[in-house]
Amino acid sequence: MSSAFLTLVRKDAILEWRQKHTLYGVVLYIGSTVFAVYMMAGQPEASVWNILFWLTQLFVVINSVARSFLQEPAQRFRYYYSLVRPTTFLLAKMCYSVVLQMLMTGISLALFALMLGWPLEKGLLFCAVAGLGSLSLSVVFTFLSAVAARAGQNAALMAILGFPLVTPVLLILSKLATKALSAAIVTGWWQLAGIMLGLDVLIVVMGLILFPFLWHE
Amino acid sequence: MSFKQHWWKWLAATLVMYVTIAGFFIQTPNLRQGGLFQTIRNLFYHVPMWFTMLTLFFVSVWYSVKHLRSFSAETDLKAAAFAKVGLLFSCLGMATGMEWANYTWSGTTGRTGPWTGDPKQVCAALLMLIYFAYFILRSGIKDEEKRGRIAAVYNIFACAMIVPLIFVIPRLVDSLHPGGSQGNPALNPKDSDPHLLIVLYPAFIGWILLGLWITQLVVRMERVKQKLELA
């Protein structure tokens, strides 16, 4: 189990590294999105900054994590199916997506700081919430990418399926992040953070239960 | 057409008729608080829609679970039919809610008109979007067996993810909606006038039965359509 898991994660990393153009494509996508946001909003106040950051994260996650299942041809999945258990495969994909999305979140945070300024009181706390956000968003979209790939569809379907599901997640995340914006006390912060973590666990568990049905032909 | 078999349809028709008429005529408390006054009657027409919708969606998910255990075409057909009628009831619930909000909430949040951006309105809209997405997903897949399986997986996943949120977020954030952030957003039996409850409880039963009846008809229509396609 563990060796197959590590091999699968390594395989994804190597594939990404060999096709550098897609990786650089996502980085360029982040760069141009942040630049477009900057051109329109300038250096906004903290609450607007927060909203713009999470919206950017939503579009970045769709472009980076979407490919986790969509970039490989369908025939290859049949080959994987004969090799590993579906749960191992999904966990490996999710793990790789989380790492990739953390990296992309780091890049977009750096670009936001460079262009839109850094109007935060507690920078480290915001980075922690951003990390939690990339974890939550990437596990949801990894699973939806599997659904879209099995349906033989493109990334547009993933956006249709995913937006209503992640809107509440983004709401919770931006609410969590408000604690980092100012020195004001936010009541019930830990409760909200607990809900977010609980939801992540639920998504992973549901994914592990449902994925074998999705994969089976 | 024996009465023994169809008694629940008679019950549904009688109850829906009773609550529709009684909803207009019974004595209701004339509440000044929140500018409710006579609009409180909307309780009888608006809240049962959401209860019916939730019931139908849960039945739909139940059939999706059954579909993943059996892969029979029948369970998939039923899951889709229940979702379809549930979506119809969500549209009705949204319409009655927005119409009511137009008179009681308009202007209170700085926004006028039927859409005030209240958290409960937003959550309900998200729920509707999810089921619209469910039907777009279904229509995109030609192969029947594949369609059933993928739609069932999405239905269960969406339900597991959104239901906690629908029940959690409205209780956390401030809202104009009666019930607000203090507790159950739909109803509060301890704090309701008993006159309201003698119409409200029959309304739940009547509308839920009517929803099941409509779904039964939709299922039969779909079966006939399938047979015609095969013939």
Side-chain angles (χ1 to χ4, degrees):
Chain A
M1 152 92 196
S2 63
S3 73
F5 174 77
L6 287 176
T7 314
L8 281 168
V9 176
R10 243 190 71 209
K11 175 223 68 171
D12 271 342
I14 290 172
L15 265 183
E16 194 87 70
W17 191 245
R18 288 203 182 138
Q19 307 174 323
K20 284 195 200 68
H21 62 278
T22 54
L23 187 67
Y24 291 144
V26 175
V27 175
L28 184 64
Y29 180 89
I30 299 174
S32 39
T33 310
V34 177
F35 191 69
V37 168
Y38 165 71
M39 290 306 283
M40 284 186 276
Q43 296 207 328
E45 55 175 300
S47 61
V48 178
W49 192 95
N50 187 27
I51 295 165
L52 290 174
F53 178 77
W54 290 109
L55 277 181
T56 314
Q57 286 308 100
L58 176 64
F59 284 96
V60 169
V61 78
I62 283 183
N63 271 276
S64 63
V65 174
R67 297 170 305 116
S68 63
F69 278 87
L70 292 166
Q71 71 178 353
E72 292 187 72
Q75 297 87 330
R76 210 183 284 169
F77 289 118
R78 271 177 220 140
Y79 174 58
Y80 295 139
Y81 188 76
S82 66
L83 291 180
V84 289
R85 288 219 312 261
T87 44
T88 316
F89 190 75
L90 181 71
L91 271 182
K93 281 280 186 198
M94 277 184 173
C95 180
Y96 180 72
S97 300
V98 170
V99 173
L100 182 72
Q101 182 58 23
M102 292 266 183
L103 193 72
M104 297 303 159
T105 304
I107 294 173
S108 39
L109 262 178
L111 285 174
F112 259 71
L114 184 71
M115 289 194 221
L116 283 88
W118 191 255
L120 305 171
E121 287 278 326
K122 304 169 194 143
L124 266 180
L125 181 73
F126 192 89
C127 291
V129 176
L132 179 65
S134 43
L135 172 80
S136 317
L137 292 175
S138 42
V139 288
V140 176
F141 277 103
T142 307
F143 186 76
L144 289 176
S145 162
V147 174
R150 288 297 289 142
Q153 298 282 321
N154 49 13
L157 181 72
M158 219 183 69
I160 295 169
L161 298 180
F163 273 28
L165 287 181
V166 296
T167 309
V169 173
L170 284 175
L171 247 162
I172 293 180
L173 287 169
S174 63
K175 216 171 158 105
L176 282 175
T178 49
K179 197 185 180 183
L181 300 182
S182 65
I185 296 162
V186 181
T187 50
W189 191 86
W190 283 107
Q191 189 195 12
L192 209 58
I195 289 172
M196 193 65 249
L197 275 175
L199 196 66
D200 287 345
V201 173
L202 180 79
I203 293 164
V204 174
V205 170
M206 285 312 287
L208 289 180
I209 294 171
L210 292 172
F211 186 67
F213 292 104
L214 205 60
W215 226 30
H216 183 75
E217 286 202 55
Chain B
M1 183 85 172
S2 65
F3 184 75
K4 250 184 194 167
Q5 210 181 338
H6 299 283
W7 61 271
W8 61 277
K9 294 176 186 171
W10 288 102
L11 184 66
T14 319
L15 284 179
V16 167
M17 226 149 66
Y18 158 66
V19 297
T20 309
I21 298 167
F24 281 108
F25 289 108
I26 62 153
Q27 189 78 36
T28 56
N30 204 11
L31 292 176
R32 191 175 294 278
Q33 173 209 2
L36 276 174
F37 301 111
Q38 291 297 316
T39 67
I40 199 168
R41 292 180 194 279
N42 197 33
L43 183 75
F44 310 130
Y45 307 100
H46 170 64
V47 182
M49 297 302 144
W50 295 118
F51 271 70
T52 313
M53 177 206 76
L54 274 181
T55 312
L56 294 175
F57 280 167
F58 281 135
V59 178
S60 167
V61 171
W62 164 248
Y63 273 111
S64 284
V65 173
K66 270 180 102 171
H67 182 73
L68 289 185
R69 298 174 70 103
S70 65
F71 297 122
S72 77
E74 183 69 15
T75 45
D76 178 45
L77 190 143
K78 280 187 178 163
F82 275 102
K84 199 185 267 178
V85 182
L87 199 54
L88 170 75
F89 274 91
S90 77
C91 292
L92 292 174
M94 186 58 98
T96 49
M98 277 166 70
E99 187 242 357
W100 178 76
N102 192 22
Y103 293 102
T104 48
W105 293 351
S106 184
T108 45
T109 51
R111 273 174 271 195
T112 52
W115 192 265
T116 40
D118 189 77
K120 290 189 182 76
Q121 249 180 349
V122 173
C123 283
L126 284 175
L127 199 67
M128 289 168 75
L129 281 180
I130 286 173
Y131 277 90
F132 282 123
Y134 170 78
F135 285 105
I136 287 181
L137 177 69
R138 287 187 70 87
S139 64
I141 309 167
K142 290 284 164 286
D143 181 58
E144 263 175 43
E145 205 210 319
K146 210 174 172 185
R147 177 173 62 208
R149 183 159 43 217
I150 295 172
V153 165
Y154 179 72
N155 197 2
I156 297 168
F157 185 73
C159 176
M161 214 183 138
I162 207 73
V163 164
L165 292 174
I166 293 284
F167 287 100
V168 167
I169 287 188
R171 285 171 169 78
L172 287 180
V173 290
D174 290 325
S175 161
L176 295 165
H177 198 283
S181 45
Q182 299 105 32
N184 192 327
L187 78 167
N188 188 351
K190 285 183 202 123
D191 196 30
S192 298
D193 193 281
H195 289 100
L196 298 180
L197 297 182
I198 58 164
V199 178
L200 188 61
Y201 287 149
F204 289 153
I205 301 169
W207 282 104
I208 288 173
L209 287 179
L210 190 72
L212 294 175
W213 190 3
I214 297 174
T215 317
Q216 196 186 41
L217 296 178
V218 171
V219 168
R220 284 179 189 163
M221 283 290 287
E222 289 296 323
R223 270 192 215 134
V224 171
K225 261 189 217 162
Q226 275 185 359
K227 270 186 192 159
L228 283 177
E229 269 169 30
L230 287 175

